[in-house]
Amino acid sequence: MSPSRSPASLRVLLVDDERLARVGLRRLLAQHGDVEVVGEASSVEEAAVQVETHDPDALFLDVQMLDGTGFDLFHRVRVRGRVIFVTAHPEHALDAFGVGAADYLVKPVSAEKVERALARLRGAPATRRPASPWTLESRLALQESTTVRVCQVKDIACIRASGDFSEVHLRRGVAVLVSQPLRGWEERLPESFVRIHRSTIVNVDVIEAVLTGKTWHVKLTGWSEPLAVSRRHTAELRTHLDAWPVG
């Protein structure tokens, strides 16, 4: 069990492929009593796992890493905390603020730079999921290579990540590959859609059964294979189940 912490503390994840860079940043952050470093990652892949595990309030995120860039993280997982980019490449600043970065620190990082970045974080806490701009009746045009498929949001059974793309599975058994990362869908879909895994969002109206046990799975109407529910998202799915009346 993790030790108790002050509700006012800022939970931070450090992402940089250089170990010494992470050590230096950790030392600078240790000077601030309200900051708790909850994890470190040296790659995009590892960072995605850490974000899912810890759901940090803020990330200090490098741009160039061995398996990709910090921007790739936004396509892999939903980053709900504020992001401070820390990099030796000043030319990416415009892209950083384009994804909503709270700050952009150019290496070498000083105590003063960290102080200013933390001041911005304290003054602007992380925002959670906004109200969806779509309803179940909203009509969508799903662009394939040579076809545009028209459907309503309620026709979607589930959406699965496929690299920088998404596979949209419709209730009638059609799957459409579109150039939209999973995170973009999550920000627009109504509350009847729930993420059950870092790579899967499902329409709860299509859930036929929830298989509970050591690990959870959901069975969708018309699907032969159940879909895995990650431990990180079990609680969110349970919230939806608790809201359903018992007949």
Side-chain angles (χ1 to χ4, degrees), residues 29 33 50 77 87 96 128 152 164 191 233 247:
L29 292 171
Q50 293 280 350
V77 68
T87 177
R128 298 304 182 182
Q152 289 183 291
D164 292 338
E191 291 298 322
H233 295 286

Side-chain angles (χ1 to χ4, degrees), residues 47-48 51-52 73-79 183 195 198:
V51 168
E52 288 283 343
L73 182 62
F74 292 88
H75 300 304
R76 299 292 302 277
V77 68
R78 188 185 183 197
V79 181
R183 177 174 176 269
R195 186 188 281 260
R198 59 185 292 186

Side-chain angles (χ1 to χ4, degrees), residues 8 96 149:
R149 293 189 180 274

Side-chain angles (χ1 to χ4, degrees), residues 131-140 153 156 184-185 188-190:
S132 168
W134 291 345
T135 68
L136 291 174
E137 305 300 323
S138 296
R139 298 187 68 82
L140 305 179
V153 171
I156 298 173
W185 286 100
R188 294 174 173 84
L189 291 168

Side-chain angles (χ1 to χ4, degrees), residues 9 48 86 127 220 240:
S9 66
V86 184
T127 56
L220 303 185
H240 281 272

Side-chain angles (χ1 to χ4, degrees), residues 171-191:
R171 295 195 191 200
R172 57 182 180 269
V174 176
V176 184
L177 184 67
V178 298
S179 57
Q180 169 75 31
L182 204 64
R183 177 174 176 269
W185 286 100
E186 191 172 33
E187 293 172 346
R188 294 174 173 84
L189 291 168
E191 291 298 322

Side-chain angles (χ1 to χ4, degrees), residues 7-23:
S9 66
L10 190 67
R11 302 172 63 256
V12 171
L13 175 66
L14 309 182
V15 183
D16 197 305
D17 61 355
E18 297 180 5
R19 186 184 67 83
L20 291 180
R22 299 196 307 272
V23 170

